[in-house]
Amino acid sequence: MKIRRSDRLIDMTNYLMERPHTLISLTFFTKRYESAKSSISEDLAIIKRTFQYRGIGVLKTIPGAAGGAMFIPSISETEARDFIADMAHQLSAQDRLLPGGYVYLSDLLGEPQVLKRVGRLIARQYIDQQIDAVMTVATKGVPIAQSVAADLNVPFVIVRHDSKITEGSTVSVNYVSGSNNRIEKMELSKRSLPTGSNVLVVDDFMKGGGTVNGMKSMIEEFDSHLVGITVFAEAAFSGHRMVDEYTSLLKVDKVNTLEKTIEVSAGNYLQKVFGDK
Amino acid sequence: MKIRRSDRLIDMTNYLMERPHTLISLTFFTKRYESAKSSISEDLAIIKRTFQYRGIGVLKTIPGAAGGAMFIPSISETEARDFIADMAHQLSAQDRLLPGGYVYLSDLLGEPQVLKRVGRLIARQYIDQQIDAVMTVATKGVPIAQSVAADLNVPFVIVRHDSKITEGSTVSVNYVSGSNNRIEKMELSKRSLPTGSNVLVVDDFMKGGGTVNGMKSMIEEFDSHLVGITVFAEAAFSGHRMVDEYTSLLKVDKVNTLEKTIEVSAGNYLQKVFGDK
């Protein structure tokens, strides 16, 4: 098959999208399509323009012999606002209210299209920072960590409350659960995180921040560095929160378990990323 | 910006890839690009040809006024074989051997590129069947379920061993753990799976098949239908396995905990999908 520009553009778009945050060399593409570097450079310029115009993301192009292209997925401000507004609306449904002021999230956090957007929103915040791993705690945070990790194309690691025989040696830390002030324990497989990693912490829900604080201790135990903390939803919390610097996509403002009402609004994400008041 | 064919092809490729197994109407594309139906149809024909030639997947096109296009991701036989061979090689590393004959998998199942391929391989097997949900058991199966669900664009549900207060009402079943013959309990949030769903069961590792068998009972409790079972790796198991019909990507053939050797080969996936002997 003679390789035409249109075929190249389709295949390159696919190839770059499947490998975000990875530098694909110009040489790789010239070999793949048996085409001149000048043609490939033109292709990349067209893709770059369309990606930008459509809000798909940024195609970073590095010129020169060792050059190439790297796709950084993004999401437009409009899409981000619409998605968060839609989530806030869905989360405000009365029947999501669970005993203890928790909110039922498992259906949404099991929807690929929701997870893809959550992953992209969270990743967007850290595209200028070096992240080597995404960390979360089992089990509710796992789908979010996986989505963020896929978007950043870095591994994710799962801290566990229970000891599993199939993890090998682990490092454990104690932490104070913010909601009930109990001392709890969490552990992470020793070999899952290299020393000196830059770690992004994500979770589905934050009340007192105890679990997230536990993960901060865990990162220290691994001589690693915390880059940031982002949760899908934060709960209204009257006490002293154990974590002060974090981002939330959504905020559960008011919960009335007697009258079974729940009010959910946008978290501080939009303000942090787009500078809302 | 005047919308050229090249821009349309790039954006359409992105749009279709982000929404696998979803019918996108011709009308949607004509409006998005302010282009004639004939031009869009030509675009789709070009994309279809490239997707097929490159083994990216199948673009199903439905002609007529209510027509459109649907992207079914795939993976070529070569890529599938190479990936499984590579995994078998990596899993055979001596230092993966854990007490009890288990194999350390958490690093691989935390790698986005590995998970994407695992998801695509498993999904490929069921593209001609109706699947409404992917089911797994917490916590190790979750990344696999999420990857398969993303590829099929259907929700996934997580069965849990421990009762979580934040899940609401649950349905629980007892099952016999195949490895140690103990009676165990697993539960699933009542509202997470609609009655009459067609369910695909996936997990990371299968020994006696007790956990998978428990999920079969769970599906019955929800008046739903089991479509198939696929695990990432099956262990060599001398006893009577509780599940007879399943697919495995990999097979842990021999484990010698004394000499610390481990042999891993391809599971029955390649034979089932490509008809190996």
Side-chain angles (χ1 to χ4, degrees):
Chain A
M1 166 165 139
K2 169 83 179 73
I3 297 161
R4 272 165 288 198
R5 163 145 292 157
S6 54
D7 301 309
R8 287 202 308 262
L9 291 175
I10 294 163
D11 188 60
M12 283 167 101
T13 300
N14 172 273
Y15 199 90
L16 290 161
M17 281 179 65
E18 292 270 19
R19 292 157 189 83
H21 293 269
T22 307
L23 183 70
I24 315 294
S25 74
L26 216 58
T27 326
F28 172 81
F29 284 133
T30 55
K31 277 189 191 149
R32 186 174 175 93
Y33 309 119
E34 296 167 4
S35 303
K37 279 200 177 177
S38 56
S39 309
I40 300 295
S41 295
E42 279 173 49
D43 295 343
L44 290 171
I46 297 170
I47 294 174
K48 185 177 193 150
R49 191 183 58 198
T50 304
F51 277 12
Q52 190 178 359
Y53 177 71
R54 296 282 172 189
I56 294 168
V58 175
L59 191 72
K60 280 194 187 171
T61 43
I62 290 114
M70 187 193 286
F71 170 51
I72 318 287
S74 191
I75 187 166
S76 69
E77 184 172 344
T78 315
E79 214 185 322
R81 287 184 187 284
D82 288 352
F83 176 73
I84 286 179
D86 175 44
M87 284 294 113
H89 175 73
Q90 289 201 46
L91 258 56
S92 302
Q94 198 175 315
D95 63 356
R96 290 196 175 271
L97 194 56
L98 295 171
Y102 284 93
V103 184
Y104 182 75
L105 299 173
S106 301
D107 57 338
L108 294 172
L109 299 183
E111 281 286 348
Q113 292 297 326
V114 169
L115 286 170
K116 184 172 282 188
R117 278 171 187 76
V118 169
R120 192 148 301 164
L121 281 173
I122 297 177
R124 193 194 195 287
Q125 221 189 150
Y126 304 101
I127 44 175
D128 296 325
Q129 279 161 286
Q130 173 69 34
I131 291 173
D132 304 310
V134 179
M135 177 185 280
T136 194
V137 72
T139 57
K140 302 277 193 76
V142 177
I144 293 175
Q146 182 169 347
S147 301
V148 177
D151 215 83
L152 292 171
N153 210 2
V154 298
F156 62 94
V157 297
I158 305 171
V159 177
R160 296 176 198 279
H161 288 293
D162 52 343
S163 177
K164 287 272 176 188
I165 196 173
T166 60
E167 283 284 282
S169 321
T170 60
V171 173
S172 76
V173 298
N174 289 115
Y175 68 100
V176 180
S177 166
S179 337
N180 55 21
N181 249 338
R182 272 211 323 246
I183 305 279
E184 312 247 12
K185 186 175 151 180
M186 54 168 70
E187 48 187 39
L188 180 61
S189 168
K190 248 186 180 171
R191 55 174 126 177
S192 63
L193 189 68
T195 302
S197 297
N198 296 295
V199 183
L200 168 61
V201 166
V202 300
D203 209 352
D204 64 325
F205 204 70
M206 182 167 79
K207 289 188 92 170
T211 314
V212 166
N213 210 34
M215 285 192 269
K216 281 174 74 170
S217 310
M218 187 64 86
I219 291 170
E220 282 166 27
E221 282 300 321
F222 278 80
D223 292 322
S224 289
H225 169 67
L226 174 72
V227 179
I229 299 162
T230 298
V231 297
F232 178 67
E234 62 172 306
F237 187 71
S238 51
H240 175 65
R241 204 162 239 149
M242 290 172 172
V243 175
D244 45 7
E245 185 62 30
Y246 64 90
T247 306
S248 62
L249 302 192
L250 294 151
K251 188 173 181 185
V252 180
D253 295 309
K254 281 183 204 157
V255 164
N256 188 326
T257 38
L258 272 176
E259 293 179 14
K260 287 210 167 193
T261 55
I262 174 169
E263 274 178 41
V264 180
S265 62
N268 63 10
Y269 177 89
L270 292 174
Q271 194 249 312
K272 284 200 165 198
V273 174
F274 302 111
D276 282 17
K277 283 291 162 303
Chain B
M1 164 165 140
K2 168 85 180 70
I3 297 160
R4 273 165 287 199
R5 163 145 292 155
S6 54
D7 300 310
R8 286 203 307 263
L9 290 175
I10 293 163
D11 187 60
M12 283 167 100
T13 300
N14 173 272
Y15 199 91
L16 290 161
M17 281 180 65
E18 291 269 19
R19 291 156 190 85
H21 293 269
T22 307
L23 183 69
I24 315 294
S25 74
L26 215 58
T27 326
F28 172 82
F29 283 133
T30 56
K31 278 187 190 150
R32 187 174 175 96
Y33 308 120
E34 297 167 5
S35 302
K37 279 200 177 175
S38 57
S39 308
I40 300 296
S41 294
E42 279 172 48
D43 295 343
L44 290 171
I46 297 169
I47 294 174
K48 185 177 192 149
R49 190 184 58 200
T50 304
F51 277 12
Q52 190 178 358
Y53 177 71
R54 295 283 171 189
I56 294 168
V58 175
L59 190 71
K60 280 194 187 171
T61 43
I62 290 114
M70 188 193 286
F71 171 51
I72 318 286
S74 193
I75 187 166
S76 69
E77 183 171 343
T78 314
E79 215 185 320
R81 287 184 187 283
D82 289 352
F83 176 73
I84 288 180
D86 176 42
M87 284 294 113
H89 175 73
Q90 289 202 47
L91 258 56
S92 303
Q94 198 176 315
D95 63 356
R96 292 198 174 269
L97 195 55
L98 296 171
Y102 283 93
V103 184
Y104 181 73
L105 299 174
S106 301
D107 57 338
L108 294 172
L109 298 183
E111 281 286 348
Q113 293 296 328
V114 169
L115 285 170
K116 185 173 283 191
R117 277 171 186 77
V118 169
R120 192 147 301 166
L121 281 173
I122 297 178
R124 192 193 197 288
Q125 221 190 149
Y126 303 101
I127 42 174
D128 296 324
Q129 279 161 285
Q130 173 68 33
I131 291 172
D132 305 310
V134 178
M135 178 185 277
T136 194
V137 72
T139 57
K140 301 278 192 75
V142 178
I144 292 175
Q146 182 169 348
S147 302
V148 177
D151 215 81
L152 293 171
N153 208 3
V154 298
F156 62 94
V157 298
I158 305 171
V159 176
R160 296 175 197 279
H161 288 293
D162 52 343
S163 176
K164 286 273 175 186
I165 196 173
T166 61
E167 283 283 282
S169 320
T170 60
V171 172
S172 77
V173 297
N174 289 116
Y175 69 99
V176 181
S177 166
S179 337
N180 56 19
N181 248 340
R182 272 212 323 244
I183 304 279
E184 311 247 13
K185 187 174 149 180
M186 53 168 71
E187 48 188 37
L188 179 61
S189 169
K190 249 187 179 171
R191 55 174 126 179
S192 64
L193 189 67
T195 303
S197 297
N198 295 295
V199 182
L200 168 62
V201 166
V202 301
D203 209 352
D204 64 324
F205 203 70
M206 182 167 78
K207 288 188 95 171
T211 314
V212 167
N213 211 33
M215 286 193 268
K216 281 174 76 171
S217 309
M218 187 63 87
I219 291 170
E220 281 166 26
E221 282 300 321
F222 278 79
D223 291 322
S224 288
H225 170 67
L226 174 73
V227 179
I229 299 161
T230 298
V231 298
F232 179 68
E234 62 173 305
F237 188 69
S238 50
H240 175 66
R241 203 162 241 151
M242 290 173 173
V243 175
D244 44 8
E245 186 60 31
Y246 64 89
T247 306
S248 62
L249 302 191
L250 294 151
K251 188 173 181 185
V252 181
D253 295 309
K254 281 183 206 158
V255 164
N256 188 327
T257 38
L258 271 177
E259 294 179 12
K260 287 212 168 193
T261 55
I262 173 170
E263 275 178 39
V264 180
S265 61
N268 62 10
Y269 176 88
L270 292 174
Q271 192 250 312
K272 284 200 164 201
V273 173
F274 302 110
D276 282 19
K277 285 290 162 302

